[in-house]
Amino acid sequence: MICPPDAAIPSHRVIEPPVLYVGTPVALITTLNFDGTPNISPMSSAWALNDRVVLGMATGGQGSENAIREGECVINFAPADLWEKVERLARTTGRDPVPAYKAASGYHHEPRKFEAAGLTPLPSDLVRPPRIAECPLQFEARIVAAHAPGGGPWEIGCEHSFAIIETKVERVHAHDDVTIAGTNYIDVSRWQPLLYVFRHYVASGTDLGRTFKAQV
Ligand SMILES: Cc1cc2nc3c(=O)[nH]c(=O)nc-3n(C[C@H](O)[C@H](O)[C@H](O)COP(=O)(O)O)c2cc1C
């Protein structure tokens, strides 16, 4: 039996939002371009399970092409206070020429993303793309699978085509100031990820409590 809604629960209505980005951390994906120079692709369509992080990356971008070709990337998680530097990269692409649909939205080719954003490269241990010093969490990762959405064919350079890229995280680097000293745990009171929420940058809020599986 379906009960009538409690009067205290707000009523819902059907909407057609232009995007479905309810709120995920901003990751800066570093990859190597064909000529060996580094690229940075801001993204937020990422989720983690066990040692895998799955990335949704448009095939019109340079980052997806680089990651699939080179088989490796670094997933750098941005802190909330980095949002203005992230936004400096928002209308850039490592792709040259810029796909027409991106050019029409004001994107331009930027071959030097670190310099453009004012970010600092750090060498990685196990993969060739650099880490980003300003990001407190950096995951060195290898690409273990890449799929077209729904199993359909990729349309490289097309506006709505994207790749579902499964990465295996090989090494995690964490700034000392977001870890609990002497442990492998993140201090969630100090790790403040930058969230991308319906195309706004949002700082995450207070620690409300922990799940039964949390050990600290
Ligand atoms: C905060 C933010 C989140 C983004 N999230 C994604 C995403 O999840 N997937 C994606 O393909 N592009 C995403 N983009 C757009 C890419 O950053 C953009 O297409 C960029 O041109 C990619 O750079 P590249 O072509 O050098 O790889 C996002 C951009 C911003 C600023």
Side-chain angles (χ1 to χ4, degrees), residues 39 41-45 56-58 61-63 90 92-94 102 107 113 196 201:
N39 189 44
S41 309
M43 61 91 69
S44 63
S45 300
M57 296 184 78
Q62 190 61 42
T92 68
T93 175
K102 290 185 89 144
Y107 282 80
K113 300 248 193 126
Y196 194 50
Y201 297 105

Side-chain angles (χ1 to χ4, degrees), residues 68 95 198 202:
I68 293 168
R95 193 174 282 284
F198 289 102
V202 175

